[in-house]
């Protein structure tokens, strides 16, 4: 995968994506960065701690969250992307489901688009990514964020997610996105119960039939809180366990909040996987 001026060999080790939410309402770090400078400093810190990519998001996708307008989302993310592009060498990703936000972010210095709708909200995103030679993460989500956690059901969890992601990757390819610029993500917590999330982590290798690098984002999510009965600020160890399982089962990229700690967890898990 080519990002910024770098070639990332996603088969060589597991890569770390640091989360930078510039939103007032994200479930774990919402409202932390009131000014763009604070968010930029947090991004710089994550890069120093070993993040390979920084994922900047301006719209919370948490269950029940309200959509934000194009202008509001742009106003949140663009100064942060511009600031980071000057300050860090690591590639920047824009977490958005809107093609116009993706377009502006890529112009401002991002080189990856992380689309949690897997091109269902806005197909134009694929054309924007193709035009910029950007990488594209396609995530599976069942239903809109407002309602996705209302009794999600599957007849064949892995099969349905695999065919959704296969169709999304096909759309991306048809729009001109390079085959090796596409990553897939089963979307932990996006229209999934606790059991679905655990099954996905356990059976992640089954998605490798799609021939794309797999990204996974279990960080501090509610399935960990449900198992441990702990609030979001106490989910680091649970996140480490989920991240370890994901790495052993073939994740190429892991999206996390606690970069310093998870870089260590991932390096050890990766060493075991490759032993
Ligand atoms: N999870 C979240 C957001 N974006 N992108 C990918 N590819 N995979 C994920 O699992 C994923 C994602 C939700 O987590 P977070 O960003 O911490 O919270 P919020 O959506 O409330 O901002």
């Amino acid at each position: 995968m080519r990002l910024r001026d770098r070639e990332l060999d996603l088969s060589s080790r597991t890569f770390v994506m640091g989360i930078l939410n510039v939103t007032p309402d994200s479930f774990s770090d919402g409202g932390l960065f009131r000014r763009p400078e604070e968010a930029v400093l947090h991004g710089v810190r994550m890069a120093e701690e070993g993040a390979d990519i920084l994922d900047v998001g301006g719209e919370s996708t948490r269950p029940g969250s309200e959509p934000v307008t194009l202008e509001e989302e742009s106003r949140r993310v663009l100064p942060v992307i511009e600031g980071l592009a000057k300050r860090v060498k690591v590639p920047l990703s824009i977490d958005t489901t809107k093609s116009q936000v993706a377009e502006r972010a890529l112009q401002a210095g991002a080189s990856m688009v992380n689309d949690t709708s897997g091109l269902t909200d806005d197909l134009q995103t694929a054309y924007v990514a193709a035009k910029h030679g950007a990488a594209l993460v396609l995530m599976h989500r069942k239903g809109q964020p407002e309602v996705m956690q209302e009794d999600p059901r599957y007849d064949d969890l892995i099969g349905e997610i695999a065919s959704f992601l296969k169709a999304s990757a096909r759309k991306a390819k048809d729009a001109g996105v390079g085959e090796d610029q596409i990553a897939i993500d089963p979307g932990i917590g996006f229209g999934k119960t606790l059991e679905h999330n655990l099954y996905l982590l356990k059976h992640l290798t089954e998605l490798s039939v799609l021939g794309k690098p797999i990204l996974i984002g279990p960080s501090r999510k509610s399935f960990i809180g449900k198992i441990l009965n702990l609030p979001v600020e106490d989910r680091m160890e649970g996140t480490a366990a989920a991240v370890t399982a994901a790495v052993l089962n073939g994740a190429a990229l892991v999206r996390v909040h606690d970069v310093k700690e998870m870089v260590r967890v991932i390096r050890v898990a990766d060493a075991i996987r490759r032993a």
Side-chain angles (χ1 to χ4, degrees):
M1 181 174 282
R2 196 156 181 81
L3 292 177
R4 219 166 178 177
D5 47 6
R6 298 179 176 201
E7 191 67 39
L8 264 58
D9 179 2
L10 295 178
S11 60
S12 63
R13 65 176 171 90
T14 306
F15 286 75
V16 180
M17 176 183 254
I19 303 172
L20 191 52
N21 283 323
V22 230
T23 55
D25 57 347
S26 285
F27 79 95
S28 94
D29 54 356
L32 231 52
F33 315 112
R34 276 186 305 279
R35 294 182 302 126
E37 303 88 274
E38 290 170 311
V40 170
L41 280 180
H42 184 61
V44 170
R45 192 176 327 120
M46 288 196 289
E48 286 167 359
E49 289 174 350
D52 298 294
I53 301 171
L54 298 176
D55 189 37
V56 180
E59 175 173 45
S60 176
T61 48
R62 117 189 109 78
S65 58
E66 292 287 323
V68 296
T69 64
L70 163 67
E71 290 312 322
E72 174 60 17
E73 193 178 335
S74 303
R75 192 190 62 74
R76 292 177 186 174
V77 295
L78 293 180
V80 178
I81 289 174
E82 281 160 10
L84 282 171
K86 290 191 207 114
R87 295 283 303 274
V88 299
K89 289 203 172 71
V90 298
L92 307 174
S93 160
I94 173 70
D95 185 343
T96 189
T97 58
K98 298 185 185 74
S99 61
Q100 285 152 298
V101 174
E103 171 75 54
R104 293 173 188 180
L106 294 173
Q107 278 173 13
S111 49
M112 174 183 256
V113 182
N114 174 20
D115 180 3
T116 57
S117 83
L119 296 175
T120 51
D121 283 2
D122 189 350
L123 180 60
Q124 200 57 31
T125 297
Y127 292 89
V128 168
K131 186 178 84 180
H132 288 268
L136 182 58
V137 178
L138 301 168
M139 198 197 78
H140 172 269
R141 185 189 74 197
K142 192 176 170 81
Q144 292 296 322
E146 297 93 301
V147 293
M148 67 187 178
Q149 288 308 103
E150 289 171 12
D151 194 23
R153 284 168 197 234
Y154 299 83
D155 292 324
D156 169 11
L157 180 70
I158 300 275
E160 287 174 40
I161 291 175
S163 53
F164 173 99
L165 292 173
K166 194 175 171 188
S168 302
R170 175 89 219 179
K171 289 182 209 164
K173 184 173 171 250
D174 289 348
V177 181
E179 288 271 28
D180 50 3
Q181 291 293 82
I182 301 170
I184 55 167
D185 180 344
I188 296 286
F190 286 81
K192 281 109 190 164
T193 62
L194 167 64
E195 288 71 26
H196 293 145
N197 291 320
L198 297 177
Y199 192 90
L200 280 172
L201 285 165
K202 186 172 173 184
H203 294 270
L204 203 58
T205 33
E206 292 176 30
L207 290 177
S208 57
V209 294
L210 297 179
K212 300 283 180 228
I214 299 170
L215 187 151
I216 194 97
S219 189
R220 300 183 187 171
K221 281 188 178 162
S222 69
F223 76 100
I224 297 169
K226 282 191 188 129
I227 296 171
L228 298 176
N229 193 23
L230 285 172
V232 74
E233 61 275 16
D234 281 326
R235 296 181 189 163
M236 175 112 72
E237 299 87 347
T239 297
V243 164
T244 301
V247 172
L248 292 177
N249 291 330
L253 288 148
V254 185
R255 184 179 178 276
V256 292
H257 298 89
D258 306 291
V259 170
K260 185 181 115 209
E261 293 81 2
M262 294 310 136
V263 162
R264 294 174 181 174
V265 168
I266 289 165
R267 278 178 65 187
V268 175
D270 210 20
I272 296 169
R273 170 186 171 189
R274 286 163 205 280

